[in-house]
């Protein structure tokens, strides 16, 4: 009997410690990553802007077409500088912002695209009203792409470039855990995803870009890496299948979950330029 009690006590203690570790991990995954940023490079000729609590840089160019640049999770607007420079040379003004809880835009928690979607809609409105942009395209990387789709409705853009966007939060968490923990990752997934409504006040149904994309009413270009384990190729193809026409898909052969501009700069510029010209300049 004493041995049985010890085993029960040990098992109970291990369970409590395990659940505490999972709860701590969930907090770390959604923790804000605010930090100060350096000045933008002089070559960008960018102006610091703030609106609706959002911090960003506006990089002007000749013409009335503008592009909103949205970074990935735990990143900030500096990761989009190279895209802004290339777009500027191509005649497109750009707005680089920090999504809430990232960089210099305050926020208590990362919400995987849900509250970040408010920033995206504010940024599109800013470009149309304050910068008189006739057409606005969005280039969103991972979290940024999800944020352009989620919320009450997709951001009202004239074109969307979505790079490595997760299909739904359960699959996104499962993929990442399985990469690191194997079969144990699948078992832990519900323990992490169950925390999202409790911590963030956001339901799992509100974190499904694959469903939200069905409501888009503008041209879409989806970019996916064929070797991506975070957002797998079948998942990206499902996102593409759910997108209304007109739409196009670029499968970056050999790319993982990475910056597609870094992976193949020339092809990236050619494809983005062609897509923007077709979508905005008619």
């Amino acid at each position: 009997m004493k041995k049985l009690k010890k085993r029960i006590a040990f098992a109970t203690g291990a369970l409590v410690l395990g659940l505490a570790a999972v709860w701590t991990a969930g907090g770390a995954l959604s923790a804000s990553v605010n930090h100060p940023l350096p000045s933008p490079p002089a070559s960008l000729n960018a102006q610091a802007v703030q609106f609706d609590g959002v911090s960003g840089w506006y990089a002007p160019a000749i013409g009335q077409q503008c592009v909103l640049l949205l970074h990935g999770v735990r990143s900030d607007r500096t990761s989009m500088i190279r895209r802004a420079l290339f777009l500027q040379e191509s005649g497109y003004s750009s707005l680089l912002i920090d999504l809430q809880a990232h960089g210099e835009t305050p926020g208590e928690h990362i919400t995987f695209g849900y509250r970040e979607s408010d920033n995206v809609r504010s940024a599109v409105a800013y470009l149309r009203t304050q910068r008189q942009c006739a057409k606005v395209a969005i280039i969103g990387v991972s979290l940024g792409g999800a944020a352009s789709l989620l919320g009450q409705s997709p951001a009202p853009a004239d074109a969307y470039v979505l790079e490595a966007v997760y299909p739904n939060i359960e699959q996104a968490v499962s993929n990442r855990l399985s990469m690191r923990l194997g079969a144990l990752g699948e078992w832990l997934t519900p323990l992490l995803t169950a925390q999202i409504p409790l911590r963030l006040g956001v339901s799992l149904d509100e974190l499904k870009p694959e469903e939200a994309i069905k409501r888009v009413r503008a041209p879409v270009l989806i970019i996916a890496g064929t070797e991506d384990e975070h957002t797998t190729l079948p998942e990206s193809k499902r996102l593409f299948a759910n997108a209304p026409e007109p739409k196009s898909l670029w499968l970056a052969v050999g790319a993982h979950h990475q910056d597609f501009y870094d992976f193949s700069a020339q092809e990236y510029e050619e494809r983005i330029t062609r897509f923007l010209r077709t979508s905005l300049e008619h």
Side-chain angles (χ1 to χ4, degrees), residues 235-248:
E235 292 163 8
S236 291
K237 287 184 175 180
R238 190 164 73 240
L239 186 74
F240 176 72
N242 285 353
E245 296 285 356
K247 58 185 177 181
S248 52

Side-chain angles (χ1 to χ4, degrees), residues 26-35 71-76 99-103 105-117 119 142-144 146-147 166 169 195-197 199-202 207:
L29 289 172
S30 61
S32 66
V33 286
N34 290 127
H35 57 272
H71 61 78
V73 70
R74 292 181 184 81
S75 186
D76 55 56
L99 295 168
Q100 70 94 33
H102 292 77
T105 298
E108 293 183 0
H109 300 284
I110 297 169
T111 64
F112 310 107
Y114 186 76
R115 291 198 183 95
E116 292 82 357
S117 68
N119 304 150
S142 192
L143 170 69
Y166 73 87
I169 195 63
Q195 298 179 37
I196 291 175
R199 288 184 180 277
L200 310 180
V202 180
L207 296 173

Side-chain angles (χ1 to χ4, degrees), residues 47-51 54-58 77 95-98 104-105:
Q47 309 161 18
V49 299
Q50 284 194 330
F51 51 89
V54 177
S55 294
W57 294 321
Y58 176 72
R77 63 186 185 264
L95 176 62
L96 305 74
I97 67 169
D98 293 332
E104 295 179 331
T105 298

Side-chain angles (χ1 to χ4, degrees), residues 48-71:
V49 299
Q50 284 194 330
F51 51 89
D52 298 336
V54 177
S55 294
W57 294 321
Y58 176 72
I62 298 174
Q64 292 183 297
Q65 283 77 34
C66 302
V67 181
L68 173 59
L69 297 172
L70 304 171
H71 61 78

Side-chain angles (χ1 to χ4, degrees), residues 153 201 213 218:
S153 62
I213 200 171

